[in-house]
Amino acid sequence: MRISMPLQYAGDPKAAVDQVVELEKAGLDTVWVAEVYGFDSPTLMGYIAARTETVEIGSAILPLYSRTPALMAMTAAGLDDLSGGRAILGMGASGPQVIEGWHGVPYTKPLTRTRETIEICRKIWRREERLTHDGKAFQLPLPPDRGTGLGKPLKLINHPHRADIPIYVAALGEKNVAMTAQIADGWLPHLFVPEKADLVWGDSLAAGKAERDPALGELEIAAGGLLAIGEGEQTKRLLDFVRPMIALYVGGMGAKGKNFYNSVARRYGYEEAAEKIQDLYLDGRKEEAAAAVPEEFVELTNMVGPESYVRERVEAFRAAGVTRLNVTPLGGDPVALVEKVKGWLS
């Protein structure tokens, strides 16, 4: 198990990258750079590549509908070259609220689009032939009846640093997780409860792995949460920082019946709470929605408490198959916390 960290995208990005530089010295293996509707991810990833030497730099995630597959491949290849082979292409379908509301693109065929984007990226990086693709989501070159008819097959001009840049997929739905386990290098689940992961995703993971190409190796899993070590209520109260985030996803990331995170919470066994959180959030009562998040849900998705308890949580994530432990250090010296956990993982 390696240790990774999501870059905090809502604040000052330069200060966040300064912290990554220090955490790299403490043993941080991977930093994940999100893209929602703030600054774009690749710009920050390039800046991190220039400031660091060993840490892997992953997008978590690049929304599939915001770029063509070719641009996805070009971006990942450029970052991988500049960083000396440290890029990870994390991608996902996001959701209709962001895709249709922010990007103005119809949210259609998310699984097909994901599968074909991965296929096209790998074709581009391998440079074995000029790019063509005849799929349900993408046809390359574009057929004459859909354009000018002047498109022609092309090949990436540059020779990539690696022809097998790792691809991680953010997936929650059963079919999407199965597809991820079949064709991706890694999986980026959200709100991951290790003790309940097999109940929710075990069948999907098994189905996907049964059709997985052995050449891909084992499926990597990146998951985790807040990290804080200490005794007493003061440390436990740090968990309150994550309540609004859980309420946002479970309550506000989608309409009734169209919220992937709400569905996951229900599958975890929090049906009543999930419904209450969503009702409160959509009614504009965000603080009440945060307060309605079950204590168990908050505790099991994070690693906060006395050292012995935190070590138990780390081992729970390991036992659930997590290979990259995501941590967000709080309530202490981030460098010391990462060094400590890195020592446990060695």
Side-chain angles (χ1 to χ4, degrees), residues 177-199:
V177 170
M179 181 192 64
T180 298
Q182 179 191 358
I183 66 173
D185 297 283
W187 176 37
L188 293 162
H190 190 52
L191 301 178
F192 189 83
V193 176
E195 289 85 351
K196 299 173 184 279
D198 187 63
L199 173 68

Side-chain angles (χ1 to χ4, degrees), residues 50-110:
R51 295 282 312 278
T52 58
E53 297 179 359
T54 62
V55 69
E56 292 176 296
I57 308 160
S59 54
I61 60 170
L62 290 185
L64 288 162
Y65 296 85
S66 64
R67 296 163 173 84
T68 65
L71 181 55
M72 285 273 201
M74 293 162 63
T75 299
L79 286 165
D80 201 53
D81 187 79
L82 289 173
S83 65
R86 292 186 283 137
I88 298 175
L89 176 57
M91 64 175 67
S94 186
Q97 283 189 315
V98 173
I99 298 307
E100 297 188 357
W102 184 251
H103 294 289
V105 177
Y107 190 82
T108 57
K109 301 179 180 178

